Amino acid sequence: MLLNQFLGLAAILFCIGVYGVLTRRNGVMVLMSIELILNAVNINLVAFGAYQGDVGGQVFALFVIAVAAAEVGVGLAIVLLIYRNRRSIDVSEADLLQG
Amino acid sequence: MLALLAQTQVQIPEIVWSVLWPIVLLSIGGVLLITATSISPRLRVGSFPAAMTIVLAGASLVTLPLIWSKVRDGGGQLPVIADAIRIDAFTLLVTGIMCASLIVVSLLLDDYLRTEGLDGPEWYVLLLMSATGGILMAAANDLIVTFLGLEILSIAVYVLAALHLRRTKSQEAGFKYFILGALSSAIFLYGIAMIYGATGSLRLTDIAQFIASGNSAGLSPLTESSLLLAGMAMLLIGFGFKISAAPFHLWTPDVYEGAPTPVVAFMASAVKAAGMAGLLRVFIVAFGVVAEDWRPVVGAMAILSVVIGAASALGQDNVKRMLAYSSIVHAGFMLVGLYAAASGAAQTGTRSVVFYLFAYAVMSLGTFAAFTLIGGRGDQNHSLSAYVGLSRSNPMVASLLAVLLLAQAGMPFTIGFWAKARVIIAAANGENYVVAAVAMVAAVVAAFVYLRLIVTMFMISEPDEAGEAEASGAQLRISRSGLFALGIAAAATMIWGLFPGFGGDWFGEATRALLELR
């Protein structure tokens, strides 16, 4: 396959992810959008690693998977904490801090 | 068979444990702390977690001179773990900032948790982990380590910001910080992937060599600089978010207002220092050769930060928000130094940023220590009106806070003056007169903000208002540990203000370490 097919797929995933973070109002959907971006990065890393004949990219992808799991764990915990206090995980309702 | 196995050598990278003491102490110490307090609930209450954190950070500080003597014997650079980590003067300086910040924040947090009725060694464990991440970020010679350091640093702080369980504002701050932080680290990561694709390496020194050897050598058809440029831009977004430089600063005032004040002290000092250290490491070591490419972006970020930060700070009535905007101005000043370093004044520019890092950590720790004390029970006494008549009800806190605010304003004979002066001198050396002039004007505008707060504290108010202020001031319970923390920061501000070369030429050594790597 051509390298730019991988890069194109990753770029599309990245854009969908950023769009999701910016427009989704549900906290969990925002977390999923961030996961999409991280997976776009993984595709890039593995594709570049295979192209360069270097194992570094794939190793990095494994690190990214681990870190993404940790990050989403913390994110869900914070979402849960907010849900307990307000019975809502709507991002746009988080408006106590302004000015 | 067993005999054969017993004779077979396995090649592993050499690890010089003796220079990794701070990282080992802080991370293993954190794990031990959470284990010990889980096994024995008696340790959870009282000051044990704070004391242990202070001891760990103090022990790490003590190891620094020993490590430095080893590093100096090794020629100023010690590659550790297959060169993924570099221990040099710069790493050690940032380690020192992290440990000092840990000590001050633990002193504050001990009393804060007791007043708020919150318990838990979790706060201290997260602080220790976060500081470890910051040290890794400063030490990294590999983009994997930079990223891991960034995440260890950030994830712990996301939790810390949201950890005040009864304050909805704290959770909201944590949530906002988390979403924007996760987005920015994802973009940062995408940038790393781009750079890996362009240069075929994740090692900072290898990237620098690859770029220096010239894309024309035909090493890879992918080295069209567009991939590299996109990667650098994305890395700048990630770092810009961490150091809260405009236009990636929008989270700062909200998070600073909502998060528990001792945590804000940590975010302003340690997190910002670590972010800036990572930025310096990556951009000076790996991309120093193509400084011409990223210089304009850094210059624009610097100007935007100082202007937006200073202008927005003017209209604030909440002191935490005010100082959040002022922290954006300070980030802008550091970027002015980096801009100077990229435009010819490599030595003076880098040195000015390194010094500014240290100076800002000291000043912000002290300022937020004072805010913690004045914030009182519930952590909500942060409007400007709470400061009226403070000089009479609490003269000690008011005068120490005044010293720190004057330092932030850049008053001569304080550390803040030397920090600002060095950045401006570096910018003039690099012939960036426009940027220097804009930064100067913004500094004057920002000085007005600090003076406004000082005047409020020392203001003689209307009789009825004064009575009210006295009453609220009388309730202010100042803890001894908090006052001690504030005193340390104010003393450091004055010591390095009067003798900017106090304690040897660390800043010069750190600069040399960064520039030699190129």
Side-chain angles (χ1 to χ4, degrees), chain A residues 52 54 57 71 85-86 96 99, chain B residues 151 171-172 178 196-197 321:
Chain A
Q52 310 268 14
D54 177 42
E71 207 167 53
N85 276 327
R86 325 168 156 234
L96 283 177
Chain B
E151 288 296 312
Q171 287 146 27
E172 193 179 308
F178 173 79
Y196 176 61
R321 291 189 85 87

Side-chain angles (χ1 to χ4, degrees), chain B residues 14 17 20 29 54 114 118 134 163 183 214 241 252 264 341 343 388 402 423 429 481 511:
Chain B
E14 192 196 353
W17 288 104
L20 292 176
I54 292 171
R114 208 168 297 138
L118 298 162
L163 208 50
L183 178 63
F241 177 86
T252 318
V264 179
S343 40
V388 177
V423 165
N429 278 351
S481 62
T511 310

Side-chain angles (χ1 to χ4, degrees), chain A residues 20-40:
Chain A
V21 173
L22 298 179
T23 59
R24 281 285 166 176
R25 296 171 63 189
N26 184 316
V28 177
M29 294 301 278
V30 172
L31 290 183
M32 286 173 66
S33 307
I34 290 170
E35 290 293 297
L36 270 187
I37 305 180
L38 292 177
N39 283 319

Side-chain angles (χ1 to χ4, degrees), chain B residues 68-94:
Chain B
W68 169 235
S69 67
K70 273 210 176 70
V71 170
R72 205 177 29 198
D73 294 343
Q77 293 283 343
L78 275 187
V80 197
I81 318 184
D83 204 11
I85 286 179
R86 286 288 175 105
I87 303 291
D88 53 26
F90 182 69
T91 313
L92 296 182
L93 179 69
V94 176

